[in-house]
Amino acid sequence: MFKKKIDPLKLTSYVLLTLGLIIVVLPMFYMVVSAFKDNDQVFAYPPKIIPSLSELTLENFKYVFDNSPFITYFLNTIFVALMTVLISIIVSSTLAYSFARLYIPGKKIIFGLVLSIMMIPGLALIVPQFELAVMFKLVNNVWGVILFYVAWVTPFSTFLIKGYIEDNIPLELEESIQVDGGSIFTVYKNIILPMTSPVIASISILNFLFPFEELGWSTAILKTDKYRTLPVAITMFFQSHGRTDWGYVFSMTTMAMIPVLIIYILLQKFFISGLSSGSIKG
């Protein structure tokens, strides 16, 4: 029997994908494993990627819970993430529907201004944003983080949802509801929201992740442990110890990673389809 000929292009693709997977997963795997080591083992040379069971310990996690209000940080971050997702979805979906379907004078110019905000790093506006936060008494308040996060993520979310609406929702479907007496709010509630669920799920993952990785603004606005989120808490953990105890840091980051992984696992089937469909057309 003849052996099946191997496609060089396909083989190259598999090799590159495997290398990419190793590059992405290995640091995460090392972080999780190191969270269960004591600091002497973390700094051992040569590093031991896969330790024996006898070398694993929960002391790092116990130390974090005993010496920091980790639960408060964790719940603050979850609350900020959920509110950012919820508010940004409402704002961006209504904006996207308006830009995609409604007649608005100067709509293209307004949409262009919305997209231009995507090109400006959030930290570039930290001074005027801080002045606004002071003006509205949002300093040292989780809402001072949430509202500005929503402002940062809304342009990209609007761009994706608008493209998804134009590419995947027939205009005739909306017109048939309006002919039957339905308002634009009926169309939005019964057609737009259900049919854009794949792209909404995709941007929900990205927006949920954002508070778990953003540091600059949250550090500037949150001043006490009562309101701090995990990125700020980990930074404060560095400073309070005067040295880098990587076992403790890895244990905190490992626990911080859990909710993000859960959200991704629950919504992963929508992630690729939503991003690819929504980004084709703006």
Side-chain angles (χ1 to χ4, degrees), residues 171 212 268:
L171 184 59
F212 284 85
Q268 63 175 327

Side-chain angles (χ1 to χ4, degrees), residues 153-191:
V153 303
T154 292
F156 183 65
S157 302
T158 301
F159 169 72
L160 288 182
I161 297 175
K162 176 180 179 292
Y164 192 91
I165 291 173
E166 293 175 338
D167 290 345
N168 296 277
I169 301 179
L171 184 59
E172 294 78 10
L173 185 60
E174 302 171 37
E175 291 175 341
S176 65
I177 292 181
Q178 292 174 341
V179 168
D180 292 335
S183 65
I184 59 174
F185 299 104
T186 304
V187 173
Y188 172 76
K189 177 183 176 182
N190 297 329
I191 299 297

Side-chain angles (χ1 to χ4, degrees), residues 43-64:
F43 287 102
Y45 185 84
K48 195 172 182 180
I49 302 297
I50 303 178
S52 63
L53 290 177
S54 61
E55 296 174 323
L56 300 181
T57 177
L58 294 176
E59 286 302 315
N60 293 328
F61 296 91
K62 183 177 182 300
Y63 182 90
V64 168

Side-chain angles (χ1 to χ4, degrees), residues 87-199:
I87 298 173
S88 64
I89 290 304
I90 295 173
V91 173
S92 58
S93 61
T94 51
L95 277 175
Y97 176 53
S98 300
F99 285 129
R101 295 291 195 246
L102 304 184
Y103 172 75
I104 303 173
K107 180 170 66 175
K108 291 185 177 180
I109 296 176
I110 298 173
F111 185 63
L113 291 173
V114 171
L115 293 186
S116 67
I117 300 174
M118 294 167 53
M119 305 176 190
I120 304 175
L123 289 181
L125 302 174
I126 193 169
V127 173
Q129 287 175 345
F130 190 82
E131 292 179 353
L132 285 173
V134 172
M135 183 187 304
F136 291 103
K137 299 181 179 180
L138 294 174
V139 177
N140 202 31
N141 188 325
V142 290
W143 286 102
V145 177
I146 293 168
L147 295 178
F148 284 96
Y149 283 175
V150 170
W152 291 3
V153 303
T154 292
F156 183 65
S157 302
T158 301
F159 169 72
L160 288 182
I161 297 175
K162 176 180 179 292
Y164 192 91
I165 291 173
E166 293 175 338
D167 290 345
N168 296 277
I169 301 179
L171 184 59
E172 294 78 10
L173 185 60
E174 302 171 37
E175 291 175 341
S176 65
I177 292 181
Q178 292 174 341
V179 168
D180 292 335
S183 65
I184 59 174
F185 299 104
T186 304
V187 173
Y188 172 76
K189 177 183 176 182
N190 297 329
I191 299 297
I192 300 300
L193 284 181
M195 295 191 68
T196 55
S197 57
V199 70

Side-chain angles (χ1 to χ4, degrees), residues 25-37:
V25 173
L26 186 58
M28 186 182 303
F29 176 79
Y30 182 74
M31 177 191 73
V32 174
V33 170
S34 298
F36 293 91
K37 298 178 180 179

